[in-house]
Amino acid sequence: MGWMVFEIIINFLEMLTSCFLAKKMFQNTNKEKKNNVMFFVFAVVGTVLLTIREHNIVEIPDFVPSVFIFLLYAWLICKAKIWTAILWSLLNYLLIGIIAITSTSMSSIMFSIPIGELRARTDGWVMICVVSRLLQLFFSELIIFVIQKNKWPEREDKKELSLIVISAVSIAILMALWNIEINLSQDFVLYTNIFICLLILVLNFIVLVFREILFREKFDNKKLKEYNQLIRMQLRGQGEVAEMYSNIRSLKHDMNNHLHTISGYMQTNEYERAEEYIQNIIGEISAMKLYQSGNPTMDALIGSKTTLAKAQNIQVDIEMSVPRELKMAPEDMVILLGNLYDNAIDANLKIKEYEKRYINIRILYHNSNLIIFFENATYEKDKSTWITTKKNTFAHGFGIKNIDRIVNQYDGYCQRELKNNVFLCQIRIPQELL
């Protein structure tokens, strides 16, 4: 009875270490507060399954306790991605198998005792169990340390099929070795088992590291492209603002000359020419319509973008009323509104019928919140219902990512809807007046 209790304790430590590995590995994925009760519940359930399997009470495959307990805990409790949870559950089981075979074979070699006899002896069996659990804990801590030290970026790829296949094949090889180890005890077989275990461990490690290097390079290149595009967008937005201010200054400078010319026509009774001249001036002013929301940066950007939109036969309806000074930095406002307006223009350009093109813009300040509303026609019919940036499932394309980044930076909230060829985007950003 005493040895059965000891065996249960050893099994509990194995499952506890597995759940500990999952908990630490996916703590960045798990946004909720850790549930310590479930941590021990999963370890206890795994211990029960291991004990039932070892005593043949119920026929349970060898991999079920270690793999499925790790998988379910990582997926359900730690909120890990399913394919990542599957991969690491296999790798955890592979690690346990390598430790079990290696520690047993090395003990047999060190004490010159066949494996069958070593396991039959109480002291040998206890030693193997204790060493295996200590090695499992050591390697688990090592894996956690390496992952946290390197701060691996979160992957966007959905599946880990190649690594899962490699892990599954490695586990199958270990199972074959385990059977050989049980039936044979020659030194050659023991050394071969140790060599193959280490080889499998090294190969899996190399594959993981090599894949991580490739992913990092791809990740860095993607970030570099995003930063370059962001800089180009900022420069373009600043250029449009500067151009609008230049047009305003030019119009103000020329207005005095225009008035003198009109006055001259009037004095010489050239009324028709004076009217024609006035109409020409009105046309120039209409082409560069000025907006007065209260914020100069917003006015310049919206005015410039509106000129571009109207040049593409897009009907634009704008209503703006905001304070002159806002908490949001001008460069962030340029990125946010510039991306919203560019996306609206791009969506309209896909529509061949000019009469169906339109953009409605409402920008207001209400209850210490900056409210931004964009509605535009689009070629697509339906995408989804209201979706928030917190879920990040609608975020596609560089422009959307920049919008979400600015919204989240100021603790704001964004909703989007695409239905019946109409795209709606509503943003609320808390804004204390400066």
Side-chain angles (χ1 to χ4, degrees):
M1 182 66 182
W3 294 118
M4 185 174 182
V5 173
F6 178 77
E7 181 181 318
I8 292 174
I9 293 174
I10 290 297
N11 291 339
F12 180 70
L13 291 176
E14 176 184 329
M15 300 310 305
L16 204 64
T17 305
S18 296
C19 292
F20 171 77
L21 177 62
K23 182 178 181 180
K24 288 296 183 180
M25 277 192 60
F26 301 110
Q27 61 182 349
N28 292 332
T29 306
N30 185 9
K31 304 298 182 182
E32 301 177 357
K33 189 176 181 180
K34 303 297 184 296
N35 193 329
N36 293 324
V37 175
M38 295 306 298
F39 175 75
F40 286 100
V41 167
F42 272 79
V44 169
V45 172
T47 303
V48 172
L49 291 177
L50 278 175
T51 305
I52 291 175
R53 181 188 63 80
E54 290 174 358
H55 289 275
N56 295 320
I57 299 174
V58 178
E59 193 69 26
I60 299 176
D62 180 74
F63 62 88
V64 168
S66 299
V67 172
F68 279 91
I69 292 299
F70 186 102
L71 170 62
L72 293 176
Y73 182 78
W75 183 37
L76 298 177
I77 306 303
C78 298
K79 309 300 181 184
K81 295 180 180 178
I82 181 62
W83 291 104
T84 306
I86 292 174
L87 170 64
W88 279 100
S89 65
L90 293 176
L91 289 175
N92 177 64
Y93 180 62
L94 177 62
L95 177 64
I96 294 174
I98 289 175
I99 291 173
I101 294 177
T102 305
S103 59
T104 303
S105 299
M106 292 189 68
S107 299
S108 178
I109 293 171
M110 289 176 59
F111 297 103
S112 300
I113 301 174
I115 292 177
E117 183 180 341
L118 183 65
R119 286 178 175 169
R121 294 175 53 173
T122 302
D123 55 347
W125 178 69
V126 170
M127 180 189 65
I128 292 173
C129 290
V130 172
V131 170
S132 297
R133 297 292 72 79
L134 290 176
L135 287 175
Q136 182 190 0
L137 180 61
F138 171 77
F139 281 107
S140 297
E141 288 282 5
L142 184 62
I143 292 171
I144 294 168
F145 173 78
V146 172
I147 290 177
Q148 292 180 347
K149 188 72 174 178
N150 287 274
K151 296 180 180 179
W152 291 353
E154 185 177 353
R155 300 182 183 278
E156 295 181 358
D157 46 332
K158 273 68 177 178
K159 298 181 179 180
E160 307 276 357
L161 289 179
S162 58
L163 292 179
I164 289 175
V165 170
I166 293 174
S167 301
V169 171
S170 300
I171 291 172
I173 295 174
L174 284 186
M175 287 182 174
L177 287 178
W178 184 260
N179 292 328
I180 293 175
E181 182 186 73
I182 291 175
N183 297 324
L184 300 175
S185 59
Q186 293 89 344
D187 289 347
F188 175 77
V189 174
L190 296 177
Y191 283 115
T192 302
N193 286 352
I194 295 173
F195 173 76
I196 293 177
C197 284
L198 294 177
L199 181 62
I200 290 174
L201 181 63
V202 171
L203 287 176
N204 278 270
F205 177 77
I206 290 175
V207 170
L208 284 171
V209 171
F210 181 70
R211 187 171 182 274
E212 187 61 34
I213 292 173
L214 293 179
F215 175 77
R216 276 182 175 274
E217 183 177 355
K218 180 180 177 182
F219 181 82
D220 292 340
N221 289 335
K222 180 181 178 181
K223 283 296 182 183
L224 181 60
K225 290 180 181 179
E226 289 183 353
Y227 286 137
N228 290 337
Q229 189 169 354
L230 178 60
I231 291 172
R232 287 194 297 268
M233 189 170 297
Q234 288 177 327
L235 291 175
R236 186 177 69 179
Q238 292 172 0
E240 291 171 349
V241 171
E243 182 181 358
M244 179 60 69
Y245 275 123
S246 177
N247 291 336
I248 294 172
R249 290 194 299 268
S250 176
L251 180 61
K252 182 178 179 180
H253 180 269
D254 293 338
M255 189 57 67
N256 188 45
N257 294 330
H258 290 319
L259 292 176
H260 280 293
T261 301
I262 294 171
S263 178
Y265 283 139
M266 299 292 289
Q267 290 175 7
T268 58
N269 297 325
E270 296 285 345
Y271 298 114
E272 292 183 0
R273 298 191 64 178
E275 182 179 357
E276 182 181 353
Y277 194 86
I278 292 173
Q279 293 299 326
N280 290 335
I281 296 175
I282 292 174
E284 293 180 5
I285 296 175
S286 299
M288 50 172 290
K289 183 177 180 180
L290 305 180
Y291 293 91
Q292 295 182 346
S293 66
N295 184 279
T297 302
M298 186 180 297
D299 295 340
L301 179 66
I302 293 297
S304 176
K305 295 289 185 184
T306 302
T307 301
L308 296 175
K310 289 186 175 181
Q312 299 293 336
N313 298 298
I314 300 174
Q315 302 177 32
V316 182
D317 183 24
I318 299 175
E319 179 182 342
M320 300 189 299
S321 179
V322 297
R324 179 177 179 84
E325 299 293 339
L326 294 170
K327 182 180 178 181
M328 181 181 293
E331 57 270 21
D332 292 334
M333 184 179 297
V334 167
I335 294 173
L336 179 62
L337 296 180
N339 277 287
L340 285 168
Y341 216 142
D342 287 340
N343 290 346
I345 292 175
D346 292 341
N348 273 276
L349 292 180
K350 296 178 182 179
I351 302 175
K352 296 181 180 180
E353 300 86 349
Y354 292 159
E355 65 275 8
K356 293 183 179 180
R357 297 179 177 181
Y358 76 90
I359 300 175
N360 293 331
I361 301 174
R362 302 290 183 268
I363 305 177
L364 307 171
Y365 184 80
H366 180 67
N367 291 337
S368 299
N369 289 288
L370 180 64
I371 308 298
I372 302 173
F373 178 84
F374 269 72
E375 177 187 7
N376 62 267
T378 178
Y379 179 77
E380 298 179 272
K381 291 185 178 181
D382 297 291
K383 194 72 174 181
S384 67
T385 56
W386 287 107
I387 297 178
T388 71
T389 56
K390 301 296 183 182
K391 296 180 181 178
N392 198 29
T393 56
F394 193 84
H396 64 283
F398 184 78
I400 296 294
K401 290 182 179 179
N402 273 331
I403 293 169
D404 291 345
R405 180 177 62 81
I406 299 297
V407 171
N408 291 329
Q409 179 180 333
Y410 289 92
D411 297 323
Y413 185 75
C414 178
Q415 291 181 316
R416 303 186 186 93
E417 183 184 39
L418 177 55
K419 190 174 183 180
N420 299 328
N421 300 107
V422 176
F423 178 77
L424 302 172
C425 181
Q426 181 174 329
I427 296 174
R428 175 180 57 80
I429 300 178
Q431 286 289 291
E432 297 178 3
L433 298 181
L434 298 177

